[in-house]
Amino acid sequence: MSLLEVEDLRVTFPTEAGPVEAVRGISFRLGRERLGVVGESGSGKTITGRAVLGLVRPPARLAARRLAFDGRDLLAMGEGARRALRGRRMAMVMQDPKFSLNPVMRVGRQLTEGLRLRDRMSAREARRRAIAALEAVRIRDPERVMEAWPHELSGGMGQRVMIAMMLIPGPDLLIADEPTSALDVTVQAEVLRILDDLVRERGMGLIFISHDLKLVSRFCDRVIVMYRGRIVEEIAARELENARHPYTRGLLGCLPRIGGPRGPLPVLARDAAWEG
Amino acid sequence: MAAPRVEISDLHVTFGQRGRRVRAVRGVSFSVAAGESYGLVGESGSGKSTILRAICGMAPVSAGSIRIDGRPVPRGRAFARLVQMVFQDPYASLHPRHTVDRVLSEPLAIHGIGDRDRRVLAALAAVGLPRSFRFRFPHQLSGGQRQRVAIARALMLEPEILLLDEPTSALDASVQAEVLNLLQELRAERGLTYLMVSHDLAVIDHMCDRLTVMENGAVVEELRREQLAAGDFRAPYTRRLFEASLEAGG
Amino acid sequence: MIPAAARAWLLSEEPASPLQARLGVAYLGWLRFLRNPLAVAGLIIVLALVAVAALAPWIAPHDPLAQDLANRLRPPLSPGHLLGTDEFGRDILSRLIHGARVTLQIVALVALTAPLFGLLVGTVSGYFGGWTDTVLMRLTDIFLAFPRLILALAFVAALGPGVENAILAIALTAWPPYARVARAETLTVRSADYIAAIRLAGAGHGRIVLRHVAPMCVSSVIIRVTLDMAGVILTAAGLGFLGLGAQPPLPEWGLMVSSGRKFLFDNWWIATMPGLAIFIVSLGFNLLGDGLRDVLDPRGAGR
């Protein structure tokens, strides 16, 4: 059975100039695998992730023929049940750790709070678990990081702390929204490797949302390419070089390469037909 | 031989007073010939953007010198007609309450240049924006369109040197290609000198003839484009940047 | 409500003139404003105040100053006197209607002077920083250190009682918060790239402050002004109540509360009716200010 089933998902935002459909009827299934969701800004990829987590709030409207997690219908579930699910079985890593960590709480307390409140764990046990999680994301000096304030962490370190925090309850589904875009390139690779190992070891389902097609294809099993709220292509990551949709091909071709030709870069000729 | 267009020698920039001092740039030297496109590559905190700000007089130079055409940098309006800058974030570099028309005509008004209608329309055409965009507000434009407006604004006073501070890092890949192509065209047409800053080695490689790799405010090494493509560099830091650039898309 | 053609013209993605662009933005703001029913209620109250003040001589059933001792202290709903009469037999409704003019005059004059001065002080202070900032802000602190009413009292005591002096005193005490708001806004704006860009274009300080920084502070100040109007009305009423603002027999609401207090236990309506008027108008301005916050907030200027 699929971990996540999404069928005909639509998200609409009301604006002064009339409703705008940001996600326009997309369907996909996710097993215990790594799925990349790729698109440019405005493609609806981030909203798709938030919709799965139940973070689409009024006045935005969500509709779907089916939205199920581990066989349970998410649309029929109350807000409390959704929240419980988000805490334990679904987690999200966001783009910029600066905005995801509470700036006035030490890292250690943020890591242990959930364990102590939700799982009624003793302070000692919670601390042990938190340190283990920090070690799992290859933080060399977890004791020191536990005592640190968020602003004392570098970008890469902050993002590792975020990943550790998300992984502590042992979720079945992890949604990573551009988890490395705010990081320096030399740090990116390290954070991705950590994420990759964790997903592999724990057999989680992963939705990796990114604008970077090449990065996603190296990291995922399957890739969904979104354009203006629709899926234009779904392809095995290995087969990406053989992508057929002109948008996917255009995305692959428009990046400069070191030592590449000096002439103008190929640009996307957008076709109204892609919007379907 | 003529003096280089831009010459930076042993530049130091230090922020903060007594006690907490941050040495953002430490002894950086390089020179850019007229009509050349020169790149500065490094990660956050490498001091590359600070150098551009120092050229504009927006960062405190504590030692060393910046010379343009062999003379100290002019300030005020003379500087404005010689050097302009394109900023990284097109969402922050356009006044949110000004229409495109106002953004483009303001530099003309400051310098008392007439014939504004014609110049504004010509500038829009030069950066590939339709006339109908003239009275839009920034929030009615996409990121790429905003960056085109920002480039048009930088060209209003017909400067000879353009400082480009990560001009495409906030843009989608397909839009980045369009903006980079536009910058190449404009340089060819107008014989501009570019000094471009980026964290992306591939972008710098595509745009520049020579580049300097920076780390923690200091120069790691200076390379020609051919050396980079051939993998002919010594510093391990350059190799790490190089490999990361091959792995990631952008 | 608005014909489809006009709506399309306003919402056009391709405005053909600066005027159309501006009106389009204003129209979107108006639509956003309409979504907040409380704000609309506030706007209706404020518009009603303006209408009542403008039409006072025509809609007031009686002369607000005409005494009629035979009919004194009539309770509300008496024939001919909807809200009753006061101790001199003057019609309370008529006095309230004419009092709206005094209130509006105070509000308008304070709203025109204090925010402009505060805006200027705040933007200059925030933009230049250093000594300018220190001097201007300490001056602001001195004004802020005194309770508003006490300071206004001191000014009125020095200038002499009367509506004009009350307005002057209120304006003199009202500007410091606007200077603070404008300065805070300026500090965030001044390091923005668009300010750096205009500086690189060679713009002078005066131009940057007046044409680029100040417009970004105006909306915060307008919101603050609207929210403060309730306070201004109350201060004016307070001065009137203490006998230092409007002088009898002028039908000023605060003064009416003051003179009615002697009869509060037997003839409650004399003080209560003007009190209610003050309450409703203050509430109106507060609701309007809250609604404007959603519309004018520069961070929400997108769509």
Side-chain angles (χ1 to χ4, degrees):
Chain A
M1 188 176 59
S2 300
L3 188 61
L4 182 71
E5 293 164 66
V6 178
E7 232 177 275
D8 197 25
L9 174 72
R10 290 169 188 276
V11 181
T12 315
F13 290 88
T15 69
E16 286 79 9
V20 171
E21 217 173 11
V23 177
R24 306 186 298 152
I26 65 168
S27 307
F28 63 90
R29 281 158 177 270
L30 177 80
R32 297 203 177 259
E33 59 176 333
R34 294 163 300 167
L35 173 70
V37 178
V38 180
E40 300 188 292
S41 48
S43 62
K45 56 187 194 300
T46 294
I47 298 167
T48 303
R50 298 184 74 87
V52 169
L53 280 165
L55 294 174
V56 170
R57 299 246 179 272
R61 278 204 326 274
L62 182 150
R65 205 173 309 138
R66 183 166 168 76
L67 186 63
F69 175 74
D70 209 5
R72 295 168 68 187
D73 186 0
L74 293 175
L75 295 170
M77 222 179 258
E79 180 52 31
R82 285 302 286 273
R83 204 180 307 130
L85 212 52
R86 273 205 292 282
R88 287 165 192 270
R89 302 199 54 196
M90 298 173 157
M92 185 168 196
V93 177
M94 272 174 287
Q95 182 168 6
D96 199 334
K98 269 200 294 269
F99 301 120
S100 312
L101 290 168
N102 183 343
V104 295
M105 214 190 262
R106 283 183 200 271
V107 168
R109 199 165 141 221
Q110 300 192 45
L111 286 174
T112 54
E113 198 171 45
L115 289 171
R116 300 201 54 194
L117 293 178
R118 196 177 50 223
D119 302 325
R120 315 233 163 254
M121 218 174 256
S122 72
R124 198 138 170 237
E125 178 61 13
R127 189 178 163 79
R128 202 186 56 72
R129 287 275 294 271
I131 288 179
L134 288 178
E135 278 168 350
V137 294
R138 293 187 213 142
I139 286 177
R140 253 167 282 147
D141 193 359
E143 304 275 344
R144 190 185 61 78
V145 171
M146 288 284 282
E147 296 309 314
W149 297 99
H151 68 88
E152 295 170 330
L153 304 174
S154 68
M157 196 72 110
Q159 198 57 299
R160 286 190 230 186
V161 168
M162 277 307 299
I163 294 172
M165 189 187 293
M166 291 305 149
L167 293 176
I168 283 178
D172 297 298
L173 171 64
L174 181 68
I175 297 179
D177 186 1
E178 306 264 10
T180 60
S181 312
L183 307 178
D184 280 332
V185 280
T186 51
V187 186
Q188 269 182 11
E190 173 81 11
V191 170
L192 282 178
R193 248 188 305 279
I194 291 168
L195 203 56
D196 193 28
D197 288 351
L198 289 168
V199 170
R200 237 184 259 276
E201 281 164 21
R202 303 186 181 204
M204 284 188 279
L206 172 77
I207 297 181
F208 187 99
I209 299 169
S210 174
H211 66 279
D212 191 334
L213 195 49
K214 282 189 181 154
L215 184 80
V216 163
S217 67
R218 253 202 0 271
F219 190 71
C220 295
D221 306 311
R222 233 166 11 112
V223 179
I224 286 175
V225 181
M226 286 185 72
Y227 181 74
R228 302 257 171 105
R230 279 179 189 275
I231 294 176
V232 293
E233 184 157 23
E234 185 177 341
I235 190 168
R238 295 186 307 279
E239 299 290 312
L240 196 67
E241 294 297 327
N242 307 323
R244 250 176 293 155
H245 197 279
Y247 179 66
T248 317
R249 302 191 60 83
L251 279 186
L252 283 169
C254 64
L255 291 168
R257 279 178 299 116
I258 293 177
R262 214 45 185 308
L265 294 161
V267 295
L268 265 177
R270 286 161 206 279
D271 188 336
W274 301 350
E275 295 183 29
Chain B
M1 194 181 126
R5 184 109 252 199
V6 182
E7 185 178 22
I8 310 262
S9 44
D10 196 29
L11 184 74
H12 289 256
V13 177
T14 308
F15 289 104
Q17 315 88 0
R18 298 146 281 163
R20 294 187 55 186
R21 287 156 62 94
V22 180
R23 298 177 62 196
V25 178
R26 300 177 294 158
V28 172
S29 307
F30 62 87
S31 59
V32 186
E36 191 186 15
S37 175
Y38 194 93
L40 293 174
V41 187
E43 305 197 302
S44 50
S46 65
K48 55 191 193 305
S49 296
T50 308
I51 293 178
L52 295 193
R53 296 201 166 247
I55 295 173
C56 297
M58 297 193 295
V61 174
S62 51
S65 72
I66 303 170
R67 298 174 84 80
I68 293 180
D69 295 330
R71 288 186 297 274
V73 183
R75 287 288 165 231
R77 295 192 186 172
F79 180 79
R81 307 196 80 148
L82 185 61
V83 184
Q84 281 295 320
M85 179 142 136
V86 176
F87 295 84
Q88 171 175 11
D89 184 358
Y91 291 86
S93 71
L94 300 181
H95 198 293
R97 300 266 156 118
H98 289 178
T99 58
V100 171
D101 179 64
R102 176 96 187 269
V103 167
L104 297 184
S105 51
E106 194 74 357
L108 300 176
I110 292 166
H111 289 258
I113 300 170
D115 201 8
R116 289 187 207 155
D117 276 337
R118 193 189 58 75
R119 283 172 192 269
V120 167
L121 290 174
L124 282 175
V127 296
L129 289 175
R131 281 165 162 245
S132 58
F133 277 49
R134 185 171 172 194
F135 296 108
R136 286 200 190 183
F137 283 94
H139 67 79
Q140 295 169 313
L141 305 177
S142 70
Q145 291 163 348
R146 287 179 200 219
Q147 200 60 307
R148 283 172 191 267
V149 173
I151 292 170
R153 169 179 60 192
L155 294 174
M156 287 316 285
L157 297 172
E158 296 170 0
E160 292 162 39
I161 302 167
L162 216 50
L163 309 177
L164 304 166
D165 187 3
E166 302 252 20
T168 60
S169 69
L171 305 177
D172 280 323
S174 62
V175 182
Q176 164 173 286
E178 291 167 15
V179 170
L180 291 181
N181 288 347
L182 171 66
L183 287 169
Q184 294 276 45
E185 279 166 32
L186 290 170
R187 188 164 81 92
E189 273 168 29
R190 306 182 180 213
L192 298 166
T193 304
Y194 281 175
L195 176 51
M196 180 166 180
V197 156
S198 177
H199 69 282
D200 188 335
L201 207 51
V203 166
I204 290 289
D205 174 76
H206 181 75
M207 294 290 293
C208 302
D209 313 314
R210 291 187 303 142
L211 60 130
T212 282
V213 180
M214 291 185 65
E215 187 184 18
N216 293 329
V219 172
V220 174
E221 61 185 324
E222 184 176 47
L223 296 167
R224 288 192 318 281
R225 183 172 188 254
E226 305 79 62
Q227 286 177 291
L228 186 66
D232 176 19
F233 38 78
R234 258 160 290 142
Y237 182 71
T238 312
R239 171 146 314 273
R240 269 167 59 208
L241 279 183
F242 185 76
E243 277 162 6
S245 162
L246 291 184
E247 280 188 13
Chain C
M1 188 175 69
I2 286 185
R7 191 180 147 87
W9 184 81
L10 284 167
L11 293 178
S12 164
E13 284 283 309
E14 297 178 354
S17 69
L19 179 73
Q20 188 184 358
R22 251 165 228 299
L23 286 177
V25 168
Y27 180 61
L28 280 177
W30 171 242
L31 290 178
R32 199 156 42 210
F33 184 84
L34 286 182
R35 286 210 303 233
N36 182 347
L38 281 178
V40 174
L43 181 68
I44 290 172
I45 292 175
V46 172
L47 287 180
L49 174 75
V50 173
V52 165
L55 302 174
W58 295 279
I59 58 175
H62 299 271
D63 182 343
L65 304 179
Q67 303 190 2
D68 178 8
L69 293 175
N71 276 322
R72 66 193 289 267
L73 300 177
R74 285 290 159 94
L77 302 180
S78 311
H81 300 287
L82 194 61
L83 298 180
T85 60
D86 66 4
E87 71 272 28
F88 298 111
R90 296 175 296 198
D91 181 49
I92 292 183
L93 179 62
S94 306
R95 287 180 67 73
L96 284 183
I97 289 172
H98 280 268
R101 294 191 144 190
V102 183
T103 301
L104 199 66
Q105 182 195 1
I106 295 170
V107 163
L109 281 176
V110 172
L112 280 181
T113 50
L116 273 183
F117 186 66
L119 188 65
L120 194 67
V121 170
T123 47
V124 166
S125 182
Y127 178 77
F128 288 101
W131 272 107
T132 322
D133 187 32
T134 310
V135 170
L136 287 176
M137 278 302 117
R138 290 306 79 78
L139 191 71
T140 312
D141 285 342
I142 292 172
F143 274 86
L144 279 172
F146 294 97
R148 180 103 151 257
L149 188 59
I150 305 286
L151 199 60
L153 270 180
F155 279 122
V156 174
L159 298 166
V163 177
E164 293 76 20
N165 287 346
I167 293 170
L168 190 61
I170 293 170
L172 277 172
T173 58
W175 66 267
Y178 307 131
R180 276 296 176 82
V181 168
R183 176 175 175 270
E185 202 73 46
T186 304
L187 288 181
T188 61
V189 168
R190 117 181 137 163
S191 52
D193 282 347
Y194 56 85
I195 299 297
I198 201 65
R199 196 175 297 157
L200 279 183
H205 294 310
R207 185 183 198 97
I208 296 176
V209 170
L210 291 179
R211 300 184 54 133
H212 294 262
V213 175
M216 293 304 290
C217 309
V218 165
S219 28
S220 304
V221 169
I222 289 181
I223 293 162
R224 184 73 207 243
V225 168
T226 330
L227 290 173
D228 274 2
M229 275 311 127
V232 167
I233 293 168
L234 291 176
T235 310
L239 288 174
F241 182 85
L242 294 169
L244 293 167
Q247 295 301 306
L250 199 65
E252 199 269 331
W253 295 348
L255 192 63
M256 288 166 69
V257 174
S258 166
S259 59
R261 109 199 110 124
K262 284 171 281 193
F263 309 93
L264 196 56
F265 291 106
D266 303 319
N267 312 102
W268 54 270
W269 59 90
I270 302 177
T272 307
M273 293 305 166
L276 270 179
I278 294 171
F279 167 74
I280 290 171
V281 170
S282 305
L283 185 71
F285 274 108
N286 263 333
L287 293 177
L288 180 65
D290 258 351
L292 283 180
R293 196 205 308 270
D294 299 338
V295 177
L296 292 177
D297 188 347
R299 280 158 289 275
R303 33 175 75 195

